[in-house]
Amino acid sequence: MRHVYRHAMPELETANQLEASHDLPEFYWSGETNMECVRQSVADVEQRGYSHHIQRLMVLANFATLWGVEPKQLNEWFNATYVDAYHWVTTPNVVEMGQYGDGVFASKPYVSSANYIDKMSDYCGDCHYYKTKDTGNKACPFNALYWDFLDRNEDQLRSNHRMGLMYSHVDNKQESGDMDEIRARVEDLREKERYGEL
Ligand code: SF4
């Protein structure tokens, strides 16, 4: 990380190869969300200024990447809230590994749907949302956002050999029409976030 920092700064701090332009949702500061994994992870950071690796990478950075948050904004949040946030280690981890901002060392985005979060934690059992549903009321936001992320970044990610399996699933969803429902669900999620109901 130290070497990456020395090699890639200062460009790394504002790197944004996926051109993600959404603002960081307010619940990163307030913790007020129905997503149990995010709610508990933010609460841990608020209480202790710390959370473990899976919470950092696969809950908080994962959600921000799927949502399309500008990497610089998530990096500022990590630097402001964690007791161990040293710029040289936090910026490469958040901007590059967390949000695939530059491609300087990450070979693919570290994103996942609810399936992986459920395997690595015990959040989903107590959640307002259903971990197995992609669309419909109370479907886990990570699921629709995951497919929408792959769909909207297809031009940049499809040719990545590590993404081949994912894009075979994307093909099925595009051909079956399921992707239209997923896009509509994401619009619904963005509306909910605007009103503080996500
Ligand atoms: S169902 Fe989705 S939002 Fe809820 S805890 Fe699991 S991954 Fe997080």
Side-chain angles (χ1 to χ4, degrees), residues 105-110 157-167:
F105 71 87
S107 56
K108 73 177 189 61
Y110 286 90
L157 299 179
R158 182 181 279 277
S159 60
N160 184 324
H161 71 281
R162 296 191 66 198
M163 308 289 287
L165 179 63
M166 281 87 142
Y167 274 99

Side-chain angles (χ1 to χ4, degrees), residues 14 36 43 50 58 69 71 80 99 102 114 117 129 137 143 149 157 165 175 187:
T14 53
E36 193 61 16
Y50 183 86
M58 296 316 295
V69 172
Q99 292 208 258
D102 188 278
I117 294 171
Y129 294 107
N137 199 24
N143 293 339
F149 171 84
L157 299 179
L165 179 63
E175 285 158 20
E187 283 308 306

Side-chain angles (χ1 to χ4, degrees), residues 33-40 58-59 62-63 112-118 121-133 138-143 198:
T33 169
N34 293 317
M35 293 181 286
E36 193 61 16
C37 54
V38 176
R39 189 189 71 73
Q40 285 196 40
M58 296 316 295
V59 176
N62 183 20
F63 184 87
S112 80
S113 61
N115 188 36
Y116 183 78
I117 294 171
D118 190 38
S121 73
D122 56 3
Y123 295 131
C124 296
D126 297 326
C127 189
H128 166 85
Y129 294 107
Y130 297 123
K131 64 186 180 188
T132 55
K133 287 182 177 282
K138 295 182 79 172
C140 171
F142 280 82
N143 293 339
L198 188 59

Side-chain angles (χ1 to χ4, degrees), residues 3-194:
H3 176 71
V4 168
Y5 185 78
R6 290 171 60 119
H7 171 75
M9 284 294 285
E11 293 80 7
L12 184 64
E13 189 173 13
T14 53
N16 188 5
Q17 66 174 345
L18 298 180
E19 299 178 358
S21 58
H22 287 276
D23 288 333
L24 188 71
E26 180 59 29
F27 53 71
Y28 276 75
W29 298 103
S30 69
E32 291 174 8
T33 169
N34 293 317
M35 293 181 286
E36 193 61 16
C37 54
V38 176
R39 189 189 71 73
Q40 285 196 40
S41 296
V42 172
D44 283 354
V45 178
E46 186 182 15
Q47 285 164 17
R48 302 199 304 269
Y50 183 86
S51 65
H52 65 70
H53 171 73
I54 290 295
Q55 291 172 302
R56 295 181 196 220
L57 184 62
M58 296 316 295
V59 176
L60 297 166
N62 183 20
F63 184 87
T65 306
L66 296 177
W67 191 254
V69 172
E70 182 190 14
K72 184 172 183 286
Q73 294 192 34
L74 185 70
N75 191 35
E76 287 170 354
W77 180 82
F78 268 93
N79 273 285
T81 55
Y82 278 78
V83 295
D84 59 355
Y86 292 94
H87 202 211
W88 70 266
V89 69
T90 299
T91 296
N93 267 304
V94 173
V95 174
E96 173 67 353
M97 188 174 282
Q99 292 208 258
Y100 197 51
D102 188 278
V104 65
F105 71 87
S107 56
K108 73 177 189 61
Y110 286 90
V111 288
S112 80
S113 61
N115 188 36
Y116 183 78
I117 294 171
D118 190 38
K119 277 188 186 137
M120 300 299 286
S121 73
D122 56 3
Y123 295 131
C124 296
D126 297 326
C127 189
H128 166 85
Y129 294 107
Y130 297 123
K131 64 186 180 188
T132 55
K133 287 182 177 282
D134 289 349
T135 57
N137 199 24
K138 295 182 79 172
C140 171
F142 280 82
N143 293 339
L145 286 167
Y146 175 77
W147 296 116
D148 181 70
F149 171 84
L150 295 175
D151 181 51
R152 72 175 189 269
N153 291 298
E154 184 174 359
D155 288 349
Q156 282 153 290
L157 299 179
R158 182 181 279 277
S159 60
N160 184 324
H161 71 281
R162 296 191 66 198
M163 308 289 287
L165 179 63
M166 281 87 142
Y167 274 99
S168 68
H169 295 307
V170 169
D171 288 341
N172 291 339
K173 290 184 186 302
Q174 288 173 341
E175 285 158 20
S176 67
D178 287 356
M179 196 62 82
D180 295 332
E181 283 182 50
I182 286 167
R183 292 184 193 119
R185 171 64 175 158
V186 169
E187 283 308 306
D188 176 48
L189 295 172
R190 294 200 188 279
E191 180 85 359
K192 283 185 189 308
E193 189 273 334
R194 273 195 284 280

